[in-house]
Structures are given as C-alpha cells and as structure tokens.
Amino acid sequence: MKKIVALGLATALFTSTALAGTASAPITVNATVLSSCMFNSAATGSATFSYDAITGSASAMSGSATLYCNSGTTITLKTAASASMTLTSVSKSKSLNATYSLTSVATPGAGTGTFAGADKYVYTVAPSAVAGQWGAPTATDYTGTVDIEVEF
C-alpha cells in the first residue's frame, strides 16, 4: 500500500510540473496611411489638331491623362485651367502659337486593376490656335507640352 501511495504521489508531482501555464499581453499596432497619387502612363493620350491659317484650328482631338489617388486624398491642381503655349516644328525651326483648356472629372473609388478602389481623376487637354498665323510653315511635327501638376 505504501508503494501505491508513493507511486501516486510521485505521479502527481511529475504531472503538476509537466503542465505549463500561459500568459499574454496585447500590443497595439498603429499605422498612418500617407496620401499617394500616381499618373497611369498607359492611360495617357496626346492631343492633336490640324491648323488652317484662314479659320484657325480644325479637327481638334483632345488628349488626356488619368491620375489615381488613394481614397480620400485631397489634391490641388497646380496647372492653369487654360493658357497660351508655343508649338515648335523641329524640321522648320518655326513655331505656332496655341492655347489649351484643361478640364477634369473626378470619380471617387472608381479605380480598377492595379488601382482598384482608388479615386480616379481624368484630365483632358483641348488644344486650339487662332487664325491668321501665316508665318507658320507647313509641317507635321509641331509639338509642345502641357504639364499637368497636382499637389497632394
């Protein structure tokens, strides 16, 4: 009987030391989401037009650029809504005075694909030129740039 009691006592001692306890502590994780915006170069198209010195611009075709920003980002357009610009012919070393108007359409949460859920802004540039610029020689390589700049 003493052996059984001793064996039972030894088993109880080994069993109680073999059982492990647990403890836990919560750690708070914080994050800050930064404002981020990016133009999608695959969704950028050139603006073109034909120029007739008698009537001014003809056959104008608007160009556009698409900007995506993470949801809720506040942006400010830094580019003028309309302005004068000079288009230069590389082959003739001459220029054509032109103007553009810039419009935008914002669609919150309309981003798809890589930009899924992003706020989408489509900027459209419509070029034109005034009639009477007889000094602009015939050429197909007049070019200029409208830089669309936003601050966020």
Side-chain angles (χ1 to χ4, degrees):
M1 181 75 142
K2 286 184 180 181
K3 287 184 182 182
I4 294 175
V5 171
L7 182 60
L9 186 58
T11 303
L13 288 174
F14 285 118
T15 304
S16 66
T17 57
L19 293 177
T22 61
S24 66
I27 297 176
T28 301
V29 177
N30 299 310
T32 299
V33 176
L34 303 175
S35 294
S36 298
C37 293
M38 168 180 205
F39 279 98
N40 181 0
S41 59
T44 300
S46 297
T48 60
F49 68 96
S50 297
Y51 178 73
D52 179 345
I54 297 170
T55 61
S57 303
S59 305
M61 201 162 100
S62 298
S64 65
T66 303
L67 175 73
Y68 292 100
C69 297
N70 59 310
S71 182
T73 297
T74 301
I75 63 170
T76 303
L77 179 63
K78 305 295 277 184
T79 305
S82 62
S84 298
M85 62 185 299
T86 302
L87 305 176
T88 305
S89 167
V90 177
S91 65
K92 303 292 181 168
S93 298
K94 294 287 185 172
S95 61
L96 175 68
N97 295 319
T99 60
Y100 72 85
S101 63
L102 176 64
T103 57
S104 66
V105 174
T107 313
T112 59
T114 303
F115 304 103
D119 293 344
K120 180 179 178 180
Y121 301 85
V122 177
Y123 294 94
T124 303
V125 174
S128 64
V130 297
Q133 297 183 68
W134 295 98
T138 301
T140 60
D141 62 350
Y142 284 90
T143 189
T145 303
V146 176
D147 245 350
I148 300 173
E149 182 181 355
V150 296
E151 183 176 85
F152 55 92

